[in-house]
Amino acid sequence: MKLGQRLLVFYFLILGLVGWFVLDLVFGQAKPLVRQSAEETLVDAANLLAEIVAEDTNNGEIVITPSLRQALNRYAGRTPDANIWGLKKDRIHTHIYITGPTGTVLFDSKGQDEGQDFSRWNDVHLTLQGRYGARTTRSDPDDPSTSVMYVAAPIRDGGSLIGVISLGKPGRAIEPFVQLAERHLMLYGGLALLGCLVLGVLLAWWLSRRVNRLRRYAEAVANNERPAPPVFRGNDEIRDLADAVTAMRRRLEERARLEDNVSLLTHEMKSPLAAIRGAGEILHDEISDPSLTRFTDNVIHESQRLSDLLDRLLAMAKLEKLESLPARKSRVTISALVEEWQRSRFSLVADKHLEVSVNDGVLQAEAETLKLALFNLLDNALRFANAETTLTVQVAGDRLTVENIGPPIPDYALDRVTERFYSLPAPGQDKSSGLGLAMVNEVASLHGGSLTLTNTDNGVRATLTIPLQD
């Protein structure tokens, strides 16, 4: 699944969950809100009618006069022609009854319950006690649609409670308004969700378009093409990423050109150097003059130094081009590598009368690069070791240490000895290429490890750490 599609799905899931939660909450509140609005209207109407009824009292008693009865009956029989938010109202649904101070019904707009005792109903019972009285009653206990909401108001005469007037509104009269509110919510909620979905599609398309431009640019760079850097309007992370990719491309191109030039130069120089060295060796055999012999020795020696430097440059360039190890790690026996190094450096070790001590240890590493690192560590230790001393190689866990006895590293150079082309003079020897420890540091980085050099009481200890493979 593409990035834009994932963003759209994720966005729509969140939008759907939020929409469902909001609509469910609103639908749950729609009916109660409509009922509360109807109840508030009934309270106002009940109190108004209570004041009208109180005008016809006689000696502190409610009198249902013929004119009042006729007026209330005419009210119940009215046919209003009202259009309320698209709903037609053509009849009066309000049920009115008036009870005396004992709860006996004195008037019933339906003409059914006059003379009945309603003192047990909450609307009448609570109002007679001086509290707010209301109730909801079903004419059919098993049918919620037959419920009627009643609200009562006290009838007073000179501050004395002489009766109660109750107004009832059937649920069927309120239900159309609830359904209308729910339909509007569904319509507007659906339109809102659709609008948000369209915006989400546009957002996903916009992001995908920008990311795809950046992806095509990166693929073209990877295919050694020279595309123009993409230009993005706005100031956001994608533009920053495009600028970073462009900067990285330029740095990599500069580095690649440098590495290619170094590799080309070293390859081109090896043949002339071999010819110069060969010519020097031939001249050395043919010349007997000591002063000339010194010059031919110098030619041979320097050509060999240049050849060694070129080999190290090629090895360093090869290491720097590696993005990861060329092979999986394996168990490498260090003592075998040390013996191989001793055989290849036999004359140099013998000239200094050095001993080499190594324990029986193994490291989990890539064999060829570890060999390169160990040989460079040993060459460096050999170069600075005092005569008739011991080179010590130890393996413990994931650490390889090479220690010699000789001059310490100056404090100012401890942090720089692993830099390329940085070297310190060894007693009685020519300046080195400054690439040996840099290559060891590169090998350590490829293994996810580190190289540290510390001074000991009588020499230098190099520690190569290669983490164990997971």
Side-chain angles (χ1 to χ4, degrees):
M1 186 180 292
K2 294 184 177 179
L3 176 62
Q5 295 172 337
R6 291 183 181 180
L7 288 173
L8 183 60
V9 170
F10 186 68
Y11 170 80
F12 192 67
L13 284 176
I14 293 178
L15 185 64
L17 288 174
V18 173
W20 174 83
F21 176 76
V22 172
L23 289 177
D24 182 68
L25 179 63
V26 172
F27 281 142
Q29 294 294 321
K31 183 175 290 188
L33 288 173
V34 173
R35 291 179 63 87
Q36 290 166 14
S37 178
E39 182 177 352
E40 192 271 342
T41 304
L42 287 176
V43 169
D44 288 350
N47 280 274
L48 173 62
L49 291 175
E51 292 297 326
I52 295 174
V53 173
E55 292 292 326
D56 296 325
T57 58
N58 183 14
N59 295 324
E61 293 183 358
I62 298 173
V63 178
I64 307 299
T65 64
S67 61
L68 176 61
R69 183 181 293 276
Q70 290 172 5
L72 292 177
N73 286 333
R74 287 196 304 270
Y75 164 73
R78 289 178 70 91
T79 56
D81 186 15
N83 191 332
I84 305 173
W85 294 96
L87 294 176
K88 189 72 172 178
K89 182 175 177 62
D90 55 6
R91 56 175 294 192
I92 300 298
H93 297 93
T94 306
H95 176 209
I96 304 173
Y97 61 84
I98 303 172
T99 62
T102 60
T104 302
V105 178
L106 303 177
F107 171 79
D108 180 10
S109 63
K110 293 182 178 180
Q112 299 175 351
D113 297 321
E114 292 183 8
Q116 297 293 323
D117 182 10
F118 274 21
S119 60
R120 62 188 178 88
W121 296 114
N122 273 344
D123 56 330
V124 177
H125 176 71
L126 294 174
T127 304
L128 290 174
Q129 291 182 353
R131 294 186 287 171
Y132 171 62
R135 68 180 170 95
T136 300
T137 303
R138 294 181 184 179
S139 57
D140 182 356
D142 297 326
D143 187 0
S145 66
T146 62
S147 65
V148 181
M149 177 177 60
Y150 288 94
V151 172
I155 302 173
R156 299 182 185 276
D157 181 25
S160 299
L161 182 61
I162 61 174
V164 175
I165 183 169
S166 291
L167 276 66
K169 177 74 72 173
R172 286 191 177 96
I174 301 174
E175 189 63 28
F177 293 94
V178 175
Q179 294 175 354
L180 177 63
E182 290 179 344
R183 285 197 298 271
H184 285 170
L185 287 173
M186 286 292 293
L187 175 61
Y188 297 139
L191 290 175
L193 286 174
L194 180 61
C196 291
L197 178 60
V198 171
L199 289 176
V201 170
L202 292 175
L203 177 63
W205 171 80
W206 180 72
L207 287 175
S208 297
R209 182 169 172 268
R210 291 164 68 88
V211 171
N212 285 332
R213 286 181 61 194
L214 184 59
R215 176 183 57 81
R216 288 192 294 269
Y217 172 67
E219 288 176 348
V221 172
N223 292 329
N224 292 325
E225 300 176 12
R226 298 185 61 84
V231 178
F232 293 102
R233 294 180 180 178
N235 211 4
D236 56 14
E237 289 81 358
I238 294 181
R239 179 176 177 178
D240 293 341
L241 180 59
D243 293 341
V245 170
T246 301
M248 180 180 67
R249 166 198 174 184
R250 289 168 179 164
R251 291 290 299 275
L252 290 176
E253 287 178 346
E254 291 174 1
R255 180 172 178 176
R257 282 194 295 269
L258 178 61
E259 290 175 350
D260 290 341
N261 290 337
V262 169
S263 297
L264 178 62
L265 179 62
T266 51
H267 279 295
E268 290 297 324
M269 289 181 64
K270 287 184 72 69
S271 295
L273 280 174
I276 292 172
R277 181 181 177 184
E281 291 174 348
I282 293 173
L283 289 174
H284 181 272
D285 294 338
E286 297 295 330
I287 294 174
S288 57
D289 187 344
S291 60
L292 294 178
T293 301
R294 187 174 68 253
F295 287 117
T296 56
D297 288 342
N298 191 41
V299 168
I300 296 171
H301 176 73
E302 293 302 323
S303 61
Q304 182 62 46
R305 274 212 327 133
L306 281 175
S307 180
D308 292 341
L309 175 60
L310 293 178
D311 290 338
R312 287 178 177 271
L313 282 172
L314 287 173
M316 189 68 185
K318 182 179 178 181
L319 278 177
E320 290 180 339
K321 285 184 178 181
L322 292 177
E323 294 181 356
S324 59
L325 294 175
R328 292 181 59 84
K329 294 180 181 180
S330 59
R331 291 172 60 84
V332 180
T333 304
I334 299 302
S335 58
L337 291 180
V338 173
E339 290 177 3
E340 183 180 347
W341 175 83
Q342 283 185 269
R343 289 193 297 270
S344 63
R345 310 293 194 272
F346 176 79
S347 59
L348 297 175
V349 173
D351 288 344
K352 284 194 171 185
H353 304 286
L354 295 178
E355 296 290 335
V356 180
S357 172
V358 58
N359 69 340
D360 294 328
V362 295
L363 276 181
Q364 192 81 5
E366 197 280 316
E368 288 302 318
T369 52
L370 177 62
K371 175 181 176 181
L372 177 64
L374 178 59
F375 276 34
N376 277 285
L377 286 176
L378 289 170
D379 286 343
N380 193 70
L382 170 62
R383 186 165 178 264
F384 288 93
N386 293 336
E388 299 181 354
T389 58
T390 301
L391 298 181
T392 304
V393 182
Q394 296 285 333
V395 179
D398 60 353
R399 294 185 177 184
L400 166 67
T401 61
V402 176
E403 187 173 344
N404 70 350
I405 298 174
I409 301 175
D411 292 339
Y412 66 84
L414 272 174
D415 295 332
R416 299 194 58 193
V417 288
T418 57
E419 296 177 7
R420 285 187 297 178
F421 306 114
Y422 186 88
S423 65
L424 295 171
Q429 298 190 37
D430 297 325
K431 190 175 182 297
S432 69
S433 65
L435 292 174
L437 292 180
M439 281 192 283
V440 178
N441 195 48
E442 192 71 24
V443 171
S445 178
L446 286 171
H447 282 82
S450 61
L451 170 66
T452 57
L453 286 97
T454 55
N455 291 321
T456 62
D457 293 338
N458 54 4
V460 176
R461 179 187 300 115
T463 302
L464 175 63
T465 302
I466 297 180
L468 298 175
Q469 187 176 13
D470 295 334

